[in-house]
Amino acid sequence: MASTLFTLLDDIATLLDDVALMTKVAAKKTAGVLGDDLALNANQVAGVRADRELPVVWAVCKGSFLNKVILVPAALAISAYLPWLVTPLLMAGGAYLCFEGFEKLAHKWLHSAAEVDAHHDEIVRANSQAEVDLVQFEREKIKGAIRTDFILSAEIIVISLGTVATASFTQQLTVLSIISLAMTVGVYGIVAGIVKIDDLGLYLLGKGKAAASVGRGLLAFAPWLMKALSVVGTAAMFLVGGGILTHGLPPLYTWLNGVAAGDGVSSIAIPLIVDGAVGVAAGAIVLGVVSAFTKLRR
């Protein structure tokens, strides 16, 4: 009995050690996408009234958890029964990210100045009137953030699944669950902190001279940070989306791998430039198709 118990404990310890190692490898491989996920989501939930920031972050976070609940079993099932379907699905998601990014760039050409001003006035009016149902008003923003999270989460889960492709089903499920939980808690915890930087600055203004200096610095820094995240978030859509598309084009992906294996700045810069260019081109094509289809329907 004792020997059986020790054998069981040894097997459990070995399993946990293997899971920890595979989780570490998966986390390293998905670190870049996690950075893009953070920038995109911080940008998506910005711009709402101060007392609505955390509820919006929490709403998107709950949607992100639901995405993982759908994606983890779906990824395991597709990997087991329809492995050929993984790449087409990822490329469709990448094309959608490129479309969203290009739509943001093309916004001023797609909408007249009167439409932009009217939309801005609507946001200001909604944020200044307590009787407006802000949850309803913010629903589209939340939906958009959850859609973007779904695509990025799918890529992270597929990348993680690739690191445990030869492991047992139990190990695969455990690693994907740990990565999904850590990713969601980490990303939205940081997003919540970012959107409340200005509130922290206001709080510190009344806490003595040294604290007030820090508070003023935070208040000056917050708008610049949000503008930077807006730019980084849009760029991330092209880089992540373009990167997914180049992964699905074997000749281009092989060439980029060869470039990335070299030394110097070019080994980093060229793959980024190519991914971005592919992302912009794909976004323009998808937006053109969507715009034409919309006009035909009208």
Side-chain angles (χ1 to χ4, degrees):
M1 177 69 74
S3 62
T4 303
L5 177 60
F6 284 127
T7 302
L8 176 61
L9 291 175
D10 182 62
D11 289 344
I12 292 173
T14 302
L15 174 63
L16 292 176
D17 188 50
D18 291 343
V19 167
L21 179 61
M22 288 185 287
T23 302
K24 183 178 179 181
V25 173
K28 284 183 178 180
K29 288 192 174 184
T30 57
V33 186
L34 282 173
D36 295 334
D37 195 7
L38 173 62
L40 283 171
N41 281 291
N43 180 35
Q44 291 273 32
V45 302
V48 298
R49 203 169 67 185
D51 62 338
R52 293 293 307 157
E53 288 172 341
L54 291 183
V56 169
V57 173
W58 174 237
V60 179
C61 183
K62 288 189 292 184
S64 180
F65 274 119
L66 180 59
N67 286 343
K68 310 305 186 299
V69 171
I70 296 170
L71 284 169
V72 169
L76 290 170
I78 291 173
S79 176
Y81 300 107
L82 298 169
W84 57 269
L85 191 58
V86 173
T87 298
L89 288 176
L90 275 178
M91 292 189 72
Y96 177 77
L97 278 180
C98 298
F99 161 71
E100 278 206 327
F102 199 85
E103 189 179 36
K104 287 188 176 183
L105 289 183
H107 185 270
K108 62 181 179 181
W109 290 288
L110 294 174
H111 302 278
S112 66
E115 288 178 317
V116 174
D117 290 341
H119 179 64
H120 179 267
D121 291 341
E122 183 183 3
I123 294 174
V124 171
R125 187 166 57 252
N127 284 333
S128 62
Q129 296 177 4
E131 66 273 12
V132 174
D133 184 357
L134 290 177
V135 175
Q136 178 66 30
F137 183 78
E138 294 154 1
R139 187 167 293 172
E140 287 304 313
K141 179 182 283 287
I142 293 169
K143 285 182 179 178
I146 293 173
R147 283 195 301 267
T148 302
D149 175 274
F150 186 90
I151 297 167
L152 291 171
S153 297
E155 187 186 10
I156 289 170
I157 288 170
V158 170
I159 292 173
S160 302
L161 186 60
T163 66
V164 294
T166 59
S168 67
F169 176 80
T170 302
Q171 289 175 323
Q172 289 180 347
L173 178 60
T174 305
V175 170
L176 293 184
S177 298
I178 292 172
I179 288 290
S180 298
L181 181 62
M183 176 182 68
T184 305
V185 173
V187 166
Y188 290 99
I190 295 173
V191 169
I194 289 174
V195 299
K196 300 307 288 184
I197 285 177
D198 50 353
D199 290 341
L200 176 61
L202 288 172
Y203 172 77
L204 291 175
L205 286 179
K207 297 295 179 180
K209 185 177 289 187
S213 298
V214 175
R216 284 191 291 272
L218 290 175
L219 289 173
F221 173 69
W224 288 100
L225 175 62
M226 298 313 298
K227 288 179 181 178
L229 286 173
S230 177
V231 174
V232 171
T234 302
M237 287 182 175
F238 293 124
L239 292 176
V240 175
I244 295 173
L245 294 176
T246 56
H247 274 64
L249 302 172
L252 181 58
Y253 181 57
T254 301
W255 176 73
L256 287 176
N257 271 345
V259 173
D263 297 322
V265 177
S266 61
S267 64
I268 300 173
I270 291 177
L272 286 177
I273 292 171
V274 172
D275 286 346
V278 170
V280 171
I285 293 170
V286 176
L287 180 60
V289 172
V290 171
S291 299
F293 181 72
T294 303
K295 288 180 179 178
L296 285 174
R297 287 188 62 187
R298 289 176 180 172

